Amino acid sequence: MRPDDWHLTEDVDDFLARAGEFLRSRPVPHLMPLTWTARLRAQGAAAYDAEGAVFGVLERAGEVHAAFYRLSPRRGLGLTPLSAEQADALAGRLVALGHSVPSVSADDATAALFAEAWQRHAGAASRVRVRLCLHRLGTLVPPEPLPSGRGRPVGERDHEQLMDMCRGFAADVGEAVTIDTSSWADTRFADKSYHFWETPDGTPVSMAGANPMVAGVVQVDPVYTPAPLRGRGYAGAVTVEVSRAALAAGATDVVLFTDAANPTSNALYRRLGYVPAIDWVVYDF
């Protein structure tokens, strides 16, 4: 395999013309490139600070074998599953073209292979930032008993409360993002649909979001309950609501990521019927 088997482009439409069928053929493992290219096509690069984005397709004899995306020089590389040979060829190609890679995100095996290849070609050591698990919904199992209250879709009149919960979620996971009325449209939170779980008096106590469907897959993200209200079953209840809504909208797969180091959230989603599908890792260089 030659490094120049990797075709690079800065044009998301060119990338999808080459790789779209390949990505849609396995939409769960390819969820992240499908999600981010859909966002860029819908709202443009400026909305996601994606100026200088680069995309890559591994093609041999007219057949696509793998793909990657990097939204900006400051952002990490996202990879579809790669073999050791494919990872090595990609690292060599990127180094030869002068591309920087601050981090990589992929399934566990692929990320490790690329981290090793990047160290060989670029001399950059790596460390694990976070390990995740991508879960896929099997049979939805509502918690028993449900907490008192009800679930409902979030509407326009709920915007201030929704932004407040998104700010709480971002703070919890360490996302550096400004979330207010003026910046909302340019955040990754703006294109989602949301549900609240509210108490019998109508007070929202938990929220769950869902990304727009791509290739039949809906990703549940984020799920958040303010710290003083945790441990009462609200997160499970609202996750069931947003999962049901995704299935009702025609999703063939409903998925979500968990922090592999958080036994509480992993156990919760498994009780609801989510099954571990892919171990995921992010390496910083």
Side-chain angles (χ1 to χ4, degrees):
M1 176 177 297
R2 302 169 304 171
D4 59 6
D5 287 336
W6 281 96
H7 171 82
L8 273 62
T9 179
E10 296 179 359
D11 186 333
V12 66
D13 291 319
D14 176 39
F15 172 69
L16 289 173
R18 293 171 177 267
E21 183 177 350
F22 166 76
L23 294 175
R24 291 187 295 271
S25 70
R26 298 179 63 207
V28 172
H30 301 160
L31 173 65
M32 299 315 293
L34 285 167
T35 296
W36 280 105
T37 53
R39 283 173 169 162
L40 293 181
R41 293 185 87 183
Q43 299 190 39
Y48 294 103
D49 190 24
E51 302 297 336
V54 63
F55 309 91
V57 181
L58 178 63
E59 292 181 291
R60 300 188 74 184
E63 183 178 357
V64 175
H65 296 270
F68 80 83
Y69 68 97
R70 191 204 63 190
L71 296 182
S72 80
R74 297 181 296 100
R75 296 202 189 193
L77 200 67
L79 302 173
T80 65
L82 302 179
S83 68
E85 184 183 14
Q86 292 167 345
D88 189 75
L90 175 58
R93 179 78 162 139
L94 293 173
V95 167
L97 293 174
H99 287 283
S100 62
V101 177
S103 63
V104 65
S105 172
D107 67 273
D108 196 347
T110 295
L113 289 171
F114 184 83
E116 294 166 3
W118 192 247
Q119 183 162 18
R120 285 194 300 273
H121 288 273
S126 63
R127 63 176 179 84
V128 173
R129 183 197 307 172
V130 65
R131 293 189 182 276
L132 306 170
C133 182
L134 182 64
H135 289 70
R136 172 191 267 157
L137 181 61
T139 301
L140 189 62
V141 182
E144 184 64 41
L146 282 169
S148 60
R150 69 184 185 106
R152 66 169 177 85
V154 173
E156 291 186 11
R157 64 186 175 87
D158 304 306
H159 191 54
E160 288 297 330
Q161 288 174 306
L162 175 62
M163 287 195 300
D164 189 55
M165 287 204 179
C166 289
R167 280 191 289 268
F169 171 82
D172 271 10
V173 300
E175 287 191 29
V177 59
T178 299
I179 300 174
D180 56 29
T181 301
S182 62
S183 65
W184 174 258
D186 294 331
T187 70
R188 72 174 187 88
F189 299 96
D191 66 346
K192 304 173 188 288
S193 58
Y194 292 90
H195 279 69
F196 280 154
W197 189 266
E198 62 183 19
T199 55
D201 66 0
T203 302
V205 289
S206 189
M207 68 99 173
N211 286 348
M213 191 184 309
V214 289
V217 181
V218 170
Q219 180 189 351
V220 174
D221 171 66
V223 178
Y224 176 73
T225 305
L229 301 173
R230 293 173 189 169
R232 306 181 191 187
Y234 298 144
V238 77
T239 299
V240 166
E241 292 294 313
V242 79
S243 301
R244 280 176 172 158
L247 294 171
T252 55
D253 281 293
V254 185
V255 300
L256 54 79
F257 279 103
T258 63
D259 184 337
N262 187 331
T264 301
S265 64
N266 281 279
L268 166 64
Y269 295 123
R270 291 174 193 181
R271 288 196 301 272
L272 299 179
Y274 281 88
V275 179
I278 302 172
D279 291 325
W280 203 270
V281 65
V282 180
Y283 285 92
D284 287 323
F285 297 120

